[in-house]
Amino acid sequence: FFLFVAFVCLALQGLLNRRVPACQLILALCFVMLASSSFVRNLGISKYCTAVTTAFWSARMASSSCNGAISNPKVKSKVELHNHLDGAIRWRTLHDIAKKRGMKIGSEEPSEIRKYCMYHEEDEHSLKRFLDTFYYFLPIIRGDPDALERIAYEFCQDQAEQGCLYTETRFAPHSLASAIPWNDMVEHEFSTDAQREAYEKLPKMTADDVVGAICRGLKRGMGEFGVIVRSLLVCMTHRPDLSMEIVDLAHKHRSDGVVGIDLAGWEDALPMEVHKPAFDRAKELGIHRTVHAGETGNAGHVQKAIDVLHAERIGHGY
């Protein structure tokens, strides 16, 4: 009995000094002593004290787990719904792939790729200038199934390291395929003869092949790193002729983790209405729809995305 009273006093002293974890431990010991005492057993309430002790200790452990989840960045608790897979590639991976494919990228140092792939403060402030950076590194990975699977796998690892439990990432299958003739691709000042030669030597990889390779990488990464990653297939604003195929691919690969379609690119390239047939079809099939709108245009673009393309989610919107 005296030990019990002493422990209660220690617990009260701990509360006054704001030593909450220590108090909880002491109080738990108090209940253990109380439950095992002959006085409590004689009263017939020993089982109730034991139950209180168990409940108290369980709550303490649950509280500790929650606090650990908040303070430990390796514990996955975040959600990311807007990510572009083809814009989330490691510098070293780009460098390795370029070397394997015999592409000269200007430097032996992987970090040098940043100069071409990053948007700098002194650059022209426009979405077009930002999107131009993609034309430097997309030819490095385009049409290479092993590279695409690797990128998807590494993406899962990076998301796990950042504490992301659930992610939705998007990519444009046609911009990563090699079945499209080089001359039909959007050329840019970054495009080189070496990139073109490497591209033309590749086996013809279709948009369907691209989706398959990326889904394989995501599946492997999810299994190894304990994250959930779903994908959306992107219709390109300047290629409405390919949008219906995107819908078909999203429908085909539903069981592979494809959960919807998107419309992305230079917002003023063509009127949004040219993509309406594809988005109508997606709605009929129950495929989720998100649209980049209001990123460079006005609020009317957002309204059109909702009314014309049946958008359930808006990318950017401002």
Side-chain angles (χ1 to χ4, degrees):
F1 174 77
F2 290 111
L3 280 174
F4 174 74
V5 172
F7 275 125
V8 170
C9 291
L10 283 173
L12 291 174
Q13 183 181 8
L15 285 173
L16 290 174
N17 293 329
R18 297 184 180 180
R19 294 174 182 172
V20 177
C23 299
Q24 292 173 334
L25 178 60
I26 293 169
L27 285 173
L29 290 173
C30 291
F31 279 114
V32 170
M33 293 178 61
L34 191 63
S36 60
S37 68
S38 58
F39 174 74
V40 168
R41 284 200 300 271
N42 291 336
L43 290 178
I45 59 173
S46 177
K47 61 181 180 180
Y48 300 112
C49 290
T50 302
V52 169
T53 304
T54 303
F56 181 88
W57 192 251
S58 298
R60 166 66 185 143
M61 295 302 291
S63 175
S64 298
S65 299
C66 292
N67 290 337
I70 294 170
S71 61
N72 184 357
K74 295 298 178 69
V75 175
K76 294 177 281 293
S77 57
K78 301 176 185 175
V79 172
E80 184 175 5
L81 297 179
H82 192 130
N83 176 283
H84 291 260
L85 181 65
D86 45 6
I89 309 170
R90 299 174 182 176
W91 310 117
R92 185 167 293 280
T93 297
L94 282 173
H95 190 267
D96 288 347
I97 295 170
K99 286 183 68 175
K100 288 177 182 177
R101 297 178 69 175
M103 294 181 176
K104 294 181 180 179
I105 53 177
S107 173
E108 289 299 315
E109 290 297 323
S111 59
E112 286 295 304
I113 298 178
R114 295 182 182 220
K115 294 193 303 186
Y116 305 102
C117 298
M118 291 185 69
Y119 186 68
H120 303 280
E121 182 65 28
E122 62 272 15
D123 290 338
E124 173 194 347
H125 289 189
S126 70
L127 177 62
K128 184 178 183 302
R129 174 64 188 88
F130 175 78
L131 295 177
D132 281 348
T133 59
F134 281 76
Y135 295 115
Y136 173 78
F137 63 83
L138 280 184
I140 296 174
I141 62 174
R142 182 179 287 136
D144 188 332
D146 293 334
L148 295 175
E149 185 172 339
R150 173 183 174 180
I151 288 164
Y153 170 81
E154 292 178 347
F155 175 75
C156 292
Q157 184 178 18
D158 293 340
Q159 291 300 95
E161 286 293 322
Q162 295 180 70
C164 286
L165 175 63
Y166 179 84
T167 305
E168 288 182 8
T169 188
R170 65 204 69 207
F171 59 93
H174 294 94
S175 71
L176 298 172
S178 59
I180 300 175
W182 180 270
N183 291 335
D184 288 351
M185 305 302 292
V186 179
E187 294 252 15
H188 190 267
E189 59 179 308
F190 292 138
S191 301
T192 65
D193 291 339
Q195 289 175 342
R196 178 175 184 144
E197 290 172 8
Y199 180 83
E200 291 176 344
K201 290 177 183 177
L202 288 170
K204 298 306 178 187
M205 187 179 190
T206 65
D208 190 13
D209 296 331
V210 168
V211 179
I214 289 176
C215 287
R216 286 194 301 273
L218 293 178
K219 182 178 180 180
R220 189 159 58 92
M222 284 189 288
E224 187 163 336
F225 302 113
V227 294
I228 303 170
V229 181
R230 299 292 181 254
S231 53
L232 296 96
L233 307 186
V234 174
C235 303
M236 297 180 285
T237 53
H238 64 287
R239 294 299 301 267
D241 54 311
L242 301 174
S243 292
M244 194 62 77
E245 184 181 354
I246 290 295
V247 176
D248 293 337
L249 289 173
H251 185 53
K252 176 181 178 180
H253 289 277
R254 274 177 159 172
S255 61
D256 297 321
V258 177
V259 294
I261 64 170
D262 187 13
L263 177 65
W266 180 238
E267 199 169 334
D268 296 318
L270 289 170
M272 203 176 289
E273 287 83 355
V274 297
H275 296 277
K276 179 173 169 54
F279 278 75
D280 285 346
R281 176 65 174 157
K283 184 180 180 181
E284 291 173 7
L285 293 171
I287 297 171
H288 292 298
R289 305 158 304 280
T290 179
V291 175
H292 282 60
E295 191 174 8
T296 57
N298 54 35
H301 286 205
V302 177
Q303 191 68 49
K304 277 188 179 181
I306 297 170
D307 294 342
V308 178
L309 300 185
H310 322 293
E312 299 169 280
R313 186 189 298 160
I314 297 295
H316 302 282
Y318 58 90

